[in-house]
């Protein structure tokens, strides 16, 4: 078996080296810039990459943003818009599927489905609002996929709805634009890259496990993307816009990685 020299240590076997590389890549993919900073500081990496003093808070924040954007670029480059996330049989659905949000379950927003209108703006040709009945009349599909949370847990759920790529094409969205943004009834907001928006498993989810999407999971509609971490999957969506201007997001503006690939 071949051996690899680890600086300052003995020889590593190739499997051990592969494990170290895998763990390093996973570490870099963590969405918190602060977590990445902690790792970088142990290596002196931040100062080496940015040339800033580690006592300069403004310099550190600037460097962190640059590293985070570099991480976004790498993840986007690695993303394969044709590669499907794993799917599972109904027997593997996590019951009950966990609730998660930046607030408690007793604060779940109530949206009136009868008066609900999905608003469209930006680089979209047909900006007429959509009612729930009109959305439900579109061709529907479902998937049993794994939700991966940045906090370290995962769960398998069954989501049904409209392929987002079909919806974007139907409304005349500019598919060459960079970003698709979302505004939600719970004041959450986020945005994704266009290749992810066009991925065949990206859904405007209207149902969960065969029933109308319950409020705790995002009624009347959430974005379901098995290729993204949980915080990139907005619930209670009220507005969608397409733009070439970076839109940020609720957690992303607080330092989380924007691309957020799972």
């Amino acid at each position: 078996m071949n051996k690899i020299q680890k600086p300052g240590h003995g020889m590593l076997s190739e499997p051990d080296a592969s494990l170290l590389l895998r763990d390093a890549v996973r570490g870099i993919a963590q969405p918190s810039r602060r977590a990445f900073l902690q790792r970088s500081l142990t290596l002196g990496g931040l100062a080496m990459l940015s040339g800033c003093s580690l006592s300069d808070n403004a310099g550190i924040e600037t460097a962190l943003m640059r590293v985070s954007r570099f991480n976004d670029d790498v993840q986007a480059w690695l993303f394969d818009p044709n590669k499907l996330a794993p799917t599972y049989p109904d027997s593997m659905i996590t019951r009950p599927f966990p609730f998660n949000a930046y607030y408690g379950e007793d604060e779940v927003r109530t949206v009136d489905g009868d008066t609900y209108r999905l608003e469209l703006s930006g680089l979209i040709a047909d900006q007429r609002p959509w009612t729930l009945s009109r959305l439900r009349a579109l061709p529907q599909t479902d998937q049993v996929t794994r939700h991966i949370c940045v906090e370290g847990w995962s769960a398998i759920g069954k989501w049904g709805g409209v392929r987002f790529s079909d919806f974007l094409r139907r409304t005349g969205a500019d598919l060459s634009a960079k970003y698709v943004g979302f505004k939600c009834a719970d004041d959450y907001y986020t945005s994704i890259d266009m290749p992810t928006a066009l991925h065949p498993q990206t859904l405007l989810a209207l149902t969960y496990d065969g029933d109308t999407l319950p409020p705790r999971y995002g009624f009347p509609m959430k974005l379901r993307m098995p290729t993204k971490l949980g915080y990139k999957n907005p619930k209670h969506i009220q507005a969608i816009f397409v733009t070439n201007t970076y839109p940020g997001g609720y957690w992303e503006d607080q330092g989380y990685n924007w691309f957020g690939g799972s």
Side-chain angles (χ1 to χ4, degrees):
M1 181 180 295
N2 294 331
K3 302 288 184 177
I4 298 175
Q5 179 73 43
K6 182 181 179 184
H9 295 77
M11 304 295 287
L12 290 175
S13 67
E14 285 184 342
D16 289 340
S18 297
L19 288 173
L20 283 174
L21 178 59
R22 182 191 66 188
D23 290 343
V25 171
R26 284 179 175 174
I28 291 175
Q30 292 294 325
S32 169
R33 293 183 299 146
R34 289 290 179 185
F36 183 84
L37 173 58
Q38 292 171 355
R39 294 179 177 86
S40 299
L41 288 176
T42 62
L43 300 174
L46 187 64
M48 179 181 70
L49 289 172
S50 65
C52 71
S53 167
L54 295 182
S55 62
D56 180 358
N57 288 336
I60 288 175
E61 285 299 316
T62 299
L64 285 171
M65 180 60 73
R66 289 175 180 169
V67 171
S68 182
R69 289 297 179 86
F70 173 77
N71 191 19
D72 288 335
D73 290 342
V74 170
Q75 290 187 66
W77 180 73
L78 292 173
F79 179 71
D80 183 348
N82 298 310
K83 183 178 180 180
L84 299 181
T87 57
Y88 305 89
D90 286 10
S91 61
M92 293 185 66
I93 294 174
T94 303
R95 303 181 192 280
F97 190 88
F99 168 81
N100 70 306
Y102 69 96
Y103 46 81
E105 190 170 351
D106 59 341
E107 300 175 84
V108 170
R109 305 306 191 265
T110 299
V111 178
D112 185 345
D114 293 333
T115 61
Y116 173 79
R117 299 292 184 273
L118 174 65
E119 303 292 336
L120 304 179
S121 63
L123 302 175
I124 299 176
D126 185 352
Q127 298 186 5
R128 289 176 295 172
W130 284 71
T131 62
L132 271 179
S133 59
R134 190 176 170 209
L135 287 164
R136 289 167 178 159
L138 295 176
Q140 308 283 304
T141 187
D142 58 40
Q143 59 177 251
V144 180
T145 51
R146 184 180 297 276
H147 171 106
I148 301 175
C149 181
V150 69
E151 296 173 342
W153 58 267
S154 68
I156 294 173
K158 184 174 184 177
W159 312 92
V162 181
R163 280 196 178 91
F164 195 30
S165 58
D166 293 345
F167 181 79
L168 290 173
R169 291 186 174 96
R170 180 178 288 266
T171 58
D174 181 355
L175 304 185
S176 67
K178 293 182 179 180
Y179 309 107
V180 182
F182 305 87
K183 299 176 182 179
C184 308
D186 57 1
D187 298 323
Y188 196 76
Y189 63 101
T190 190
S191 55
I192 61 173
D193 57 296
M194 184 60 78
T196 298
L198 298 177
H199 189 275
Q201 289 175 307
T202 298
L203 295 184
L204 291 177
L206 301 168
T207 67
Y208 180 75
D209 202 9
D211 294 323
T212 299
L213 191 69
R216 69 194 303 261
Y217 299 150
F219 179 86
M221 182 175 66
K222 74 165 286 172
L223 191 70
R224 174 60 193 145
M225 299 175 290
T227 60
K228 297 284 193 185
L229 291 168
Y231 68 89
K232 298 298 295 186
N233 290 244
K235 300 183 289 189
H236 314 290
I237 296 172
Q238 286 193 319
I240 297 173
F241 61 95
V242 175
T243 180
N244 284 312
T245 302
Y246 175 71
Y250 178 87
W251 288 115
E252 297 89 332
D253 291 348
Q254 299 181 57
Y256 276 45
N257 177 244
W258 177 78
F259 192 84
S262 63

